[in-house]
Amino acid sequence: MTDQPDISGRDRSDGAVVVELNQYRQDRDPVPVTFHRRELDAILRIYGRMVGEGEWKDYAIDHLREKAVFSIFKRSGEMPLFRIEKNPKLAGKQGAYSVVNTHGMILKRGQELPQVLKVFDKVLKLIE
């Protein structure tokens, strides 16, 4: 037994196994889920607006194996106020994008990020 991952490859006549490097890397370290540029643009546009209003102060981006998470903080030492998550495994079912609050409740979920981000749009009120 070795600590090497079990990768199928081509057997050579001398008994050695030839494995392509890109296949080895992909099997050993799967590529994490990331936000694309347009997705980040949409998220950062809302983030910038809320920072300008003084409601949000900090953010963090995590690229994990199963999902990408954009966390929004009021103060950097606290729990995130909101998490914008991208989970491609849910794309065919409930939608790849979701907005989750501090308590873990899903505020909005959908197939398209701009629709999901509308949860942050404020309703204008008439002031007399």
Side-chain angles (χ1 to χ4, degrees), residues 87-106:
N87 190 341
K89 289 184 180 179
L90 298 176
K93 299 176 184 174
Q94 303 162 345
Y97 303 101
S98 61
V99 175
V100 182
N101 71 4
T102 303
H103 305 294
M105 187 171 75
I106 298 173

Side-chain angles (χ1 to χ4, degrees), residues 82-86 90 94-101 104-121:
F82 300 101
R83 292 188 327 261
I84 301 168
E85 298 182 356
K86 175 184 176 182
L90 298 176
Q94 303 162 345
Y97 303 101
S98 61
V99 175
V100 182
N101 71 4
M105 187 171 75
I106 298 173
L107 302 177
K108 193 155 187 176
R109 174 178 278 161
Q111 300 289 345
E112 298 177 8
L113 184 61
Q115 286 297 106
V116 173
L117 293 177
K118 285 186 179 182
V119 75
F120 296 116
D121 289 346

Side-chain angles (χ1 to χ4, degrees), residues 1-125:
M1 290 191 84
T2 65
D3 59 349
Q4 297 296 323
D6 186 22
I7 298 175
S8 58
R10 297 186 312 260
D11 289 329
R12 293 191 330 192
S13 60
D14 61 356
V17 177
V18 178
V19 178
E20 292 185 31
L21 184 59
N22 63 353
Q23 179 186 1
Y24 175 78
R25 285 183 179 158
Q26 188 174 21
D27 288 345
R28 183 157 181 164
D29 246 352
V31 178
V33 177
T34 61
F35 289 108
H36 297 290
R37 182 184 177 113
R38 289 184 185 209
E39 295 167 339
L40 276 176
D41 285 345
I43 294 169
L44 290 173
R45 190 174 309 116
I46 290 173
Y47 176 78
R49 185 185 79 212
M50 299 301 265
V51 167
E53 294 175 8
E55 294 190 30
W56 297 347
K57 303 286 185 197
D58 201 5
Y59 72 91
I61 300 175
D62 296 308
H63 295 146
L64 309 171
R65 287 183 184 173
E66 297 164 0
K67 63 184 175 180
V69 181
F70 188 96
S71 302
I72 301 163
F73 299 89
K74 177 73 173 172
R75 292 180 188 85
S76 58
E78 297 180 350
M79 295 283 293
L81 292 174
F82 300 101
R83 292 188 327 261
I84 301 168
E85 298 182 356
K86 175 184 176 182
N87 190 341
K89 289 184 180 179
L90 298 176
K93 299 176 184 174
Q94 303 162 345
Y97 303 101
S98 61
V99 175
V100 182
N101 71 4
T102 303
H103 305 294
M105 187 171 75
I106 298 173
L107 302 177
K108 193 155 187 176
R109 174 178 278 161
Q111 300 289 345
E112 298 177 8
L113 184 61
Q115 286 297 106
V116 173
L117 293 177
K118 285 186 179 182
V119 75
F120 296 116
D121 289 346
K122 294 185 177 183
V123 179
L124 298 176
K125 298 178 183 176

